[in-house]
Amino acid sequence: MKLFSVRALPALAVTTLLAAAPVFAHAADTPAPVSKGGEQAEAGSKTATLTDTDLSGYVGGVHPAELGGLLNYCNQGSYVDYDDSFKVLQSYNKKTNAVPDGQEGNMYYARGTAGQLQVNGKTYSIATSSIPVRQKTCKAVLERAKAAL
């Protein structure tokens, strides 16, 4: 039994390194974060920067399930009134089947719940926006969901 564990350890180490290789390669290709003014921040910057880019205008172009996920993100983050938005979220998800029963999940809903929206092939993040932008975008999300009901 001891012989097996000695052989398994190097194999496990190699497997772990191979599994992490794409992550390391991707990290090298990832651009530096964008600062508040829109210019590239210093590579290796240790502080997160927020953007003031208004994302509320993009809400009309997202997938219906993504809108449900965004409303979930806004609700969980308290960027909209909970009592109002939770009822809308439940009704909207039921109407659009954004969270279908018996499935592994919906990638659009998951992306929205992560605070991201995709429009015209570009992904934007509410999470990297300033608080006033998050609130404005979440208000637009809630209004669009209400209008769809």
Side-chain angles (χ1 to χ4, degrees), residues 7-40:
R7 289 183 188 164
L9 186 58
L12 180 61
V14 169
T15 304
T16 303
L17 285 175
L18 289 175
V23 174
F24 296 131
H26 177 70
D29 295 338
T30 304
V34 177
S35 70
K36 185 176 179 181
E39 66 277 356
Q40 292 290 335

Side-chain angles (χ1 to χ4, degrees), residues 52-141:
D52 285 331
T53 303
D54 184 7
L55 301 174
S56 63
Y58 295 125
V59 170
V62 301
H63 188 276
E66 192 170 79
L67 185 75
L70 285 167
L71 186 54
N72 186 41
Y73 170 85
C74 295
N75 192 0
Q76 289 178 351
S78 300
Y79 300 115
V80 289
D81 178 63
Y82 178 84
D83 293 331
D84 186 29
S85 64
F86 187 71
K87 291 174 187 173
V88 172
L89 176 63
Q90 288 179 316
S91 298
Y92 184 81
N93 284 345
K94 186 174 182 178
K95 179 179 181 179
T96 63
N97 199 28
V99 185
D101 290 334
Q103 291 190 11
E104 293 296 318
N106 183 314
M107 78 170 190
Y108 294 106
Y109 190 84
R111 182 176 27 239
T113 297
Q116 297 181 354
L117 57 149
Q118 190 172 46
V119 181
N120 299 326
K122 291 186 178 184
T123 302
Y124 302 93
S125 176
I126 298 172
T128 59
S129 299
S130 63
I131 299 297
V133 170
R134 289 181 207 178
Q135 292 168 331
K136 183 177 181 182
T137 303
C138 285
K139 182 178 178 186
V141 166

